[in-house]
PDB file of all heavy atoms in Angstrom:
ATOM      1  N   GLY N1155     165.390 152.918 147.462  1.00 72.00           N
ATOM      2  CA  GLY N1155     165.809 151.589 147.226  1.00 72.00           C
ATOM      3  C   GLY N1155     166.470 150.829 148.307  1.00 72.00           C
ATOM      4  O   GLY N1155     166.464 151.381 149.500  1.00 72.00           O
ATOM      5  N   VAL N1156     166.872 149.674 148.068  1.00 75.00           N
ATOM      6  CA  VAL N1156     167.608 148.831 149.041  1.00 75.00           C
ATOM      7  C   VAL N1156     168.934 148.362 148.488  1.00 75.00           C
ATOM      8  O   VAL N1156     168.988 147.915 147.347  1.00 75.00           O
ATOM      9  CB  VAL N1156     166.757 147.600 149.421  1.00 75.00           C
ATOM     10  CG1 VAL N1156     167.532 146.642 150.337  1.00 75.00           C
ATOM     11  CG2 VAL N1156     165.461 147.863 149.987  1.00 75.00           C
ATOM     12  N   PRO N1157     170.048 148.693 149.175  1.00 70.00           N
ATOM     13  CA  PRO N1157     171.374 148.251 148.614  1.00 70.00           C
ATOM     14  C   PRO N1157     171.372 146.721 148.272  1.00 70.00           C
ATOM     15  O   PRO N1157     170.755 145.905 148.980  1.00 70.00           O
ATOM     16  CB  PRO N1157     172.393 148.605 149.762  1.00 70.00           C
ATOM     17  CG  PRO N1157     171.683 149.555 150.539  1.00 70.00           C
ATOM     18  CD  PRO N1157     170.154 149.332 150.526  1.00 70.00           C
ATOM     19  N   ALA N1158     172.135 146.452 147.264  1.00 68.00           N
ATOM     20  CA  ALA N1158     172.135 144.992 146.824  1.00 68.00           C
ATOM     21  C   ALA N1158     172.680 144.096 147.925  1.00 68.00           C
ATOM     22  O   ALA N1158     172.114 142.896 148.131  1.00 68.00           O
ATOM     23  CB  ALA N1158     173.184 144.820 145.644  1.00 68.00           C
ATOM     24  N   ALA N1159     173.610 144.602 148.812  1.00 64.00           N
ATOM     25  CA  ALA N1159     174.143 143.728 149.891  1.00 64.00           C
ATOM     26  C   ALA N1159     173.038 143.441 150.987  1.00 64.00           C
ATOM     27  O   ALA N1159     173.224 142.614 151.736  1.00 64.00           O
ATOM     28  CB  ALA N1159     175.295 144.400 150.509  1.00 64.00           C
ATOM     29  N   GLU N1160     172.029 144.313 151.091  1.00 66.00           N
ATOM     30  CA  GLU N1160     170.955 144.174 152.090  1.00 66.00           C
ATOM     31  C   GLU N1160     169.665 143.492 151.566  1.00 66.00           C
ATOM     32  O   GLU N1160     168.762 143.249 152.414  1.00 66.00           O
ATOM     33  CB  GLU N1160     170.652 145.628 152.576  1.00 66.00           C
ATOM     34  CG  GLU N1160     171.673 146.370 153.260  1.00 66.00           C
ATOM     35  CD  GLU N1160     172.221 145.802 154.572  1.00 66.00           C
ATOM     36  OE1 GLU N1160     171.342 144.976 155.163  1.00 66.00           O
ATOM     37  OE2 GLU N1160     173.274 146.195 155.041  1.00 66.00           O
ATOM     38  N   ARG N1161     169.573 143.187 150.297  1.00 70.00           N
ATOM     39  CA  ARG N1161     168.307 142.621 149.810  1.00 70.00           C
ATOM     40  C   ARG N1161     167.884 141.236 150.281  1.00 70.00           C
ATOM     41  O   ARG N1161     166.859 140.897 150.388  1.00 70.00           O
ATOM     42  CB  ARG N1161     168.377 142.622 148.259  1.00 70.00           C
ATOM     43  CG  ARG N1161     168.341 144.038 147.623  1.00 70.00           C
ATOM     44  CD  ARG N1161     168.539 144.045 146.250  1.00 70.00           C
ATOM     45  NE  ARG N1161     168.661 145.422 145.675  1.00 70.00           N
ATOM     46  CZ  ARG N1161     169.071 145.723 144.459  1.00 70.00           C
ATOM     47  NH1 ARG N1161     169.364 144.795 143.615  1.00 70.00           N
ATOM     48  NH2 ARG N1161     169.000 147.056 144.115  1.00 70.00           N
ATOM     49  N   ALA N1162     168.976 140.502 150.633  1.00 66.00           N
ATOM     50  CA  ALA N1162     168.657 139.202 151.099  1.00 66.00           C
ATOM     51  C   ALA N1162     168.158 139.307 152.684  1.00 66.00           C
ATOM     52  O   ALA N1162     167.329 138.551 153.043  1.00 66.00           O
ATOM     53  CB  ALA N1162     169.898 138.271 151.075  1.00 66.00           C
ATOM     54  N   ARG N1163     168.695 140.307 153.324  1.00 63.00           N
ATOM     55  CA  ARG N1163     168.419 140.424 154.756  1.00 63.00           C
ATOM     56  C   ARG N1163     167.007 140.970 154.891  1.00 63.00           C
ATOM     57  O   ARG N1163     166.364 140.634 155.996  1.00 63.00           O
ATOM     58  CB  ARG N1163     169.366 141.341 155.493  1.00 63.00           C
ATOM     59  CG  ARG N1163     169.298 141.331 156.972  1.00 63.00           C
ATOM     60  CD  ARG N1163     170.528 142.004 157.562  1.00 63.00           C
ATOM     61  NE  ARG N1163     170.548 143.394 157.447  1.00 63.00           N
ATOM     62  CZ  ARG N1163     169.939 144.193 158.187  1.00 63.00           C
ATOM     63  NH1 ARG N1163     169.250 143.862 159.201  1.00 63.00           N
ATOM     64  NH2 ARG N1163     170.026 145.567 157.992  1.00 63.00           N
ATOM     65  N   VAL N1164     166.374 141.746 154.006  1.00 70.00           N
ATOM     66  CA  VAL N1164     165.186 142.488 154.216  1.00 70.00           C
ATOM     67  C   VAL N1164     164.018 141.361 154.141  1.00 70.00           C
ATOM     68  O   VAL N1164     162.982 141.696 154.575  1.00 70.00           O
ATOM     69  CB  VAL N1164     164.887 143.528 153.295  1.00 70.00           C
ATOM     70  CG1 VAL N1164     165.892 144.621 153.409  1.00 70.00           C
ATOM     71  CG2 VAL N1164     164.881 143.038 151.786  1.00 70.00           C
ATOM     72  N   VAL N1165     164.263 140.157 153.584  1.00 70.00           N
ATOM     73  CA  VAL N1165     163.232 139.222 153.567  1.00 70.00           C
ATOM     74  C   VAL N1165     163.208 138.280 154.819  1.00 70.00           C
ATOM     75  O   VAL N1165     162.462 137.345 154.994  1.00 70.00           O
ATOM     76  CB  VAL N1165     163.244 138.352 152.251  1.00 70.00           C
ATOM     77  CG1 VAL N1165     163.071 139.251 151.103  1.00 70.00           C
ATOM     78  CG2 VAL N1165     164.585 137.571 152.212  1.00 70.00           C
ATOM     79  N   GLU N1166     164.182 138.446 155.722  1.00 68.00           N
ATOM     80  CA  GLU N1166     164.215 137.656 156.928  1.00 68.00           C
ATOM     81  C   GLU N1166     163.284 138.248 157.956  1.00 68.00           C
ATOM     82  O   GLU N1166     162.859 139.363 157.906  1.00 68.00           O
ATOM     83  CB  GLU N1166     165.617 137.798 157.570  1.00 68.00           C
ATOM     84  CG  GLU N1166     166.772 137.093 156.722  1.00 68.00           C
ATOM     85  CD  GLU N1166     168.136 137.304 157.216  1.00 68.00           C
ATOM     86  OE1 GLU N1166     168.236 137.848 158.424  1.00 68.00           O
ATOM     87  OE2 GLU N1166     169.059 136.880 156.648  1.00 68.00           O
ATOM     88  N   ARG N1167     162.906 137.439 158.906  1.00 64.00           N
ATOM     89  CA  ARG N1167     161.967 137.836 159.865  1.00 64.00           C
ATOM     90  C   ARG N1167     162.529 138.813 160.811  1.00 64.00           C
ATOM     91  O   ARG N1167     163.746 138.724 161.268  1.00 64.00           O
ATOM     92  CB  ARG N1167     161.526 136.618 160.639  1.00 64.00           C
ATOM     93  CG  ARG N1167     160.813 135.610 159.821  1.00 64.00           C
ATOM     94  CD  ARG N1167     160.466 134.344 160.645  1.00 64.00           C
ATOM     95  NE  ARG N1167     160.023 133.285 159.774  1.00 64.00           N
ATOM     96  CZ  ARG N1167     159.631 132.095 160.060  1.00 64.00           C
ATOM     97  NH1 ARG N1167     159.691 131.834 161.391  1.00 64.00           N
ATOM     98  NH2 ARG N1167     159.130 131.176 159.284  1.00 64.00           N
ATOM     99  N   PHE N1168     161.757 139.888 161.162  1.00 62.00           N
ATOM    100  CA  PHE N1168     162.136 141.033 161.987  1.00 62.00           C
ATOM    101  C   PHE N1168     163.318 141.724 161.530  1.00 62.00           C
ATOM    102  O   PHE N1168     164.012 142.485 162.215  1.00 62.00           O
ATOM    103  CB  PHE N1168     162.546 140.368 163.397  1.00 62.00           C
ATOM    104  CG  PHE N1168     161.420 139.670 164.058  1.00 62.00           C
ATOM    105  CD1 PHE N1168     161.380 138.262 164.129  1.00 62.00           C
ATOM    106  CD2 PHE N1168     160.338 140.263 164.551  1.00 62.00           C
ATOM    107  CE1 PHE N1168     160.388 137.564 164.707  1.00 62.00           C
ATOM    108  CE2 PHE N1168     159.267 139.724 165.194  1.00 62.00           C
ATOM    109  CZ  PHE N1168     159.259 138.255 165.131  1.00 62.00           C
ATOM    110  N   ALA N1169     163.648 141.657 160.213  1.00 60.00           N
ATOM    111  CA  ALA N1169     164.767 142.434 159.646  1.00 60.00           C
ATOM    112  C   ALA N1169     164.238 143.763 159.214  1.00 60.00           C
ATOM    113  O   ALA N1169     163.217 143.989 158.529  1.00 60.00           O
ATOM    114  CB  ALA N1169     165.326 141.759 158.370  1.00 60.00           C
ATOM    115  N   ARG N1170     164.931 144.811 159.699  1.00 58.00           N
ATOM    116  CA  ARG N1170     164.520 146.165 159.436  1.00 58.00           C
ATOM    117  C   ARG N1170     165.770 147.004 159.197  1.00 58.00           C
ATOM    118  O   ARG N1170     166.739 146.965 160.014  1.00 58.00           O
ATOM    119  CB  ARG N1170     163.704 146.853 160.612  1.00 58.00           C
ATOM    120  CG  ARG N1170     162.486 145.971 160.892  1.00 58.00           C
ATOM    121  CD  ARG N1170     161.587 146.741 161.978  1.00 58.00           C
ATOM    122  NE  ARG N1170     160.841 147.846 161.294  1.00 58.00           N
ATOM    123  CZ  ARG N1170     160.228 148.787 161.931  1.00 58.00           C
ATOM    124  NH1 ARG N1170     160.201 148.862 163.299  1.00 58.00           N
ATOM    125  NH2 ARG N1170     159.592 149.705 161.214  1.00 58.00           N
ATOM    126  N   LEU N1171     165.789 147.653 158.103  1.00 58.00           N
ATOM    127  CA  LEU N1171     167.074 148.524 157.803  1.00 58.00           C
ATOM    128  C   LEU N1171     166.982 149.753 158.809  1.00 58.00           C
ATOM    129  O   LEU N1171     165.973 150.113 159.309  1.00 58.00           O
ATOM    130  CB  LEU N1171     167.059 148.859 156.345  1.00 58.00           C
ATOM    131  CG  LEU N1171     167.156 147.709 155.397  1.00 58.00           C
ATOM    132  CD1 LEU N1171     167.144 148.362 153.973  1.00 58.00           C
ATOM    133  CD2 LEU N1171     168.216 146.799 155.548  1.00 58.00           C
ATOM    134  N   ASP N1172     168.121 150.357 158.905  1.00 50.00           N
ATOM    135  CA  ASP N1172     168.347 151.513 159.799  1.00 50.00           C
ATOM    136  C   ASP N1172     167.264 152.569 159.569  1.00 50.00           C
ATOM    137  O   ASP N1172     166.714 153.046 160.552  1.00 50.00           O
ATOM    138  CB  ASP N1172     169.720 151.945 159.846  1.00 50.00           C
ATOM    139  CG  ASP N1172     170.712 151.027 160.369  1.00 50.00           C
ATOM    140  OD1 ASP N1172     170.294 150.136 161.207  1.00 50.00           O
ATOM    141  OD2 ASP N1172     171.885 151.015 160.068  1.00 50.00           O
TER     142      ASP N1172
END
Side-chain angles (χ1 to χ4, degrees):
V1156 176
E1160 300 288 345
R1161 288 175 186 168
R1163 193 166 70 86
V1164 296
V1165 298
E1166 297 176 5
R1167 299 174 189 181
F1168 301 104
R1170 306 188 72 191
L1171 301 182
D1172 291 338

